[in-house]
Amino acid sequence: MEKLWSKDYVLNIVGNLLLFVVFYLLMVYTTKLAITEFNVSVSEAGLASGIFIVGALVARLVISRYMDFIGRKRMLIIAVVIHAICTFGYHFIDGMLFLCTLRFVQGMTYGMASTVIATTVASIVPESRRGEGIGYFTLSITLGSAIGPFLGISLPQINPLYALVLCDVLSISLIVLAFILNITEIKVGFRQRVEVKSFRLRTFFEPTAIPISTVALLGAIGYSAVMSYIGTYSEAIGLLLGGSLFYVAYSLACLFFRPISGIMIDRFGNHVVMVPVLFTMILGFIAIAIAESNIVLLLGAVLVGIGYGTIPSAGQTIAVQKVKLSKFSLATSTLYIALDTGNGIGPYILGMVVPIYGFRAVYMCSAIAALLAFLFYIGMIIKSRKENVAV
């Protein structure tokens, strides 16, 4: 069996974990800061968090085109240095304009750094263990999404400066890691030089990655309702215990199932994992929508953790399967753009349902989005089998 756990593989996992801890910590911190210090509405505070994702999307569109021209390591160093400067900038925020500008720029650096790291991992893991390797790697995102919000809520209660100081330390650590990492650079060929000068759709997105990215987009739209409203929802239906433990159950399900799903993809193929995973996601959203007890709500968290929690890792594995090494960055970027877009537009789309039909309807809509993802993936299977028969 080919070796998976190399020094650079581990360092990439650590770097990604640090990046996502800072991301989630500051997302919680800035929302509260905007409301308490600048006396803005909840929706305006949400803009300060959401504009970060806009910056990440802009960066991903550009980074996938120019990463190999600038150099992957150079791009990573540039990204984490500017990211650290932005992190220090939080000490000097004096208004919403400064905060939103800072969030947008830092969102761009987050998009750049996360794309480089994810592309590097997909490039260095052995092909025979790619699903497993990416599965372990994406656990860093899960851990970051659990650790970051916890620190963002708890540290300011002790001392308002502690959260920012920790982010400063983690950001400096990212710079050190960027210099230590050995990153294999891709030699840019003539065809890539020609393609980068054009502005056709295929130069921004990898065509072979668009189908699985569409599945990821639909799943992310559904999951965005969990991220945005589960606290308010659990309070509204009187299940505060389930709401408080929701992310614990979700994270544990991800931690357990992601590595298993990666190994299964390597050994048995994509469909053996993706079909049951997408069906499980549907059941998870339905369980959340109909929950009358803490147990059912937490069951929904586990099912969504197994379902949606598997999509980023399995999706990246599938996205890079049919592309050359030089296209890994574009394929990875295409998937991450879909995930970011779904998480960005989902709360606005599904939030419109609340005033008319209530919160339970939001999670039924999430289940419908998951059902569409399931049906779309079944369509992908049917299409691929017809093409194979034709050949």
Side-chain angles (χ1 to χ4, degrees):
M1 186 178 290
E2 295 177 275
K3 183 181 179 181
L4 174 63
W5 294 94
S6 64
K7 175 178 71 76
D8 289 318
Y9 176 68
V10 173
L11 288 176
N12 273 288
I13 292 176
V14 173
N16 205 55
L17 173 62
L18 298 180
L19 186 67
F20 275 85
V21 168
V22 174
F23 163 44
Y24 282 106
L25 194 160
L26 288 177
M27 180 171 284
V28 173
Y29 180 86
T30 52
T31 304
K32 186 176 181 180
L33 175 72
I35 294 171
T36 57
E37 295 295 325
F38 306 132
N39 200 30
V40 300
S41 66
V42 174
S43 60
E44 288 175 315
L47 174 64
S49 291
I51 201 168
F52 185 97
I53 301 297
V54 176
L57 283 170
V58 171
R60 292 194 200 281
L61 284 169
V62 176
I63 186 78
S64 59
R65 287 169 58 87
Y66 299 106
M67 182 192 300
D68 293 326
F69 288 85
I70 297 172
R72 294 181 179 183
K73 181 159 185 170
R74 186 180 300 168
M75 182 68 77
L76 180 59
I77 290 172
I78 292 171
V80 296
V81 168
I82 300 175
H83 181 274
I85 293 171
C86 290
T87 303
F88 288 122
Y90 284 85
H91 292 280
F92 307 102
I93 293 172
D94 59 0
M96 280 297 291
L97 179 60
F98 186 5
L99 176 59
C100 288
T101 303
L102 193 66
R103 294 288 290 165
F104 179 80
V105 175
Q106 191 171 43
M108 292 185 68
T109 64
Y110 155 81
M112 292 166 63
S114 59
T115 301
V116 173
I117 292 173
T119 302
T120 301
V121 166
S123 302
I124 64 176
V125 295
E127 186 175 352
S128 62
R129 302 182 69 182
R130 185 168 290 153
E132 180 185 2
I134 293 177
Y136 284 123
F137 166 72
T138 53
L139 287 180
S140 60
I141 301 175
T142 304
L143 288 172
S145 67
I147 297 170
F150 171 75
L151 295 174
I153 293 170
S154 59
L155 288 179
Q157 293 175 0
I158 303 170
N159 189 308
L161 282 176
Y162 284 0
L164 294 183
V165 171
L166 177 61
C167 287
D168 294 339
V169 173
L170 297 182
S171 296
I172 293 172
S173 301
L174 270 171
I175 296 175
V176 175
L177 275 172
F179 279 98
I180 293 174
L181 273 173
N182 292 315
I183 298 178
T184 303
E185 303 290 354
I186 300 298
K187 187 177 180 180
V188 179
F190 175 76
R191 185 174 179 179
Q192 280 182 281
R193 294 182 185 279
V194 173
E195 285 182 348
V196 80
K197 294 178 182 178
S198 68
F199 286 88
R200 292 177 298 170
L201 190 63
R202 64 178 302 161
T203 63
F204 291 94
F205 302 97
E206 171 53 43
T208 59
I210 288 177
I212 191 61
S213 298
T214 303
V215 172
L217 171 67
L218 291 167
I221 288 174
Y223 177 69
S224 69
V226 172
M227 284 190 68
S228 301
Y229 305 123
I230 197 65
T232 308
Y233 172 61
S234 61
E235 185 177 351
I237 61 175
L239 300 177
L240 289 174
L241 177 62
S244 63
L245 295 176
F246 189 94
Y247 282 109
V248 175
Y250 172 85
S251 299
L252 288 175
C254 290
L255 287 170
F256 176 76
F257 194 74
R258 270 189 186 174
I260 296 174
S261 66
I263 294 170
M264 289 176 67
I265 284 180
D266 292 334
R267 294 184 180 178
F268 305 111
N270 305 332
H271 308 331
V272 172
V273 172
M274 289 301 297
V275 171
V277 153
L278 292 172
F279 186 72
T280 301
M281 182 167 62
I282 299 170
L283 296 179
F285 288 133
I286 292 174
I288 295 171
I290 65 173
E292 296 287 352
S293 67
N294 289 310
I295 292 175
V296 176
L297 185 62
L298 292 175
L299 174 63
V302 171
L303 293 175
V304 172
I306 293 172
Y308 177 77
T310 304
I311 289 178
S313 57
Q316 188 181 355
T317 303
I318 296 168
V320 301
Q321 278 177 346
K322 296 181 180 179
V323 300
K324 297 177 181 178
L325 196 61
S326 61
K327 292 284 188 179
F328 272 26
S329 60
L330 195 61
T332 300
S333 175
T334 301
L335 178 76
Y336 276 57
I337 286 171
L339 291 168
D340 286 345
T341 301
N343 283 314
I345 66 174
Y348 296 100
I349 295 173
L350 298 180
M352 296 177 186
V353 176
V354 178
I356 305 172
Y357 300 106
F359 272 115
R360 291 192 186 275
V362 169
Y363 293 102
M364 290 306 297
C365 289
S366 294
I368 292 171
L371 175 62
L372 291 175
F374 177 80
L375 295 175
F376 188 88
Y377 191 83
I378 296 298
M380 288 169 56
I381 296 174
I382 295 171
K383 183 181 177 182
S384 65
R385 288 181 176 175
K386 284 183 178 179
E387 289 174 352
N388 290 334
V389 170
V391 172

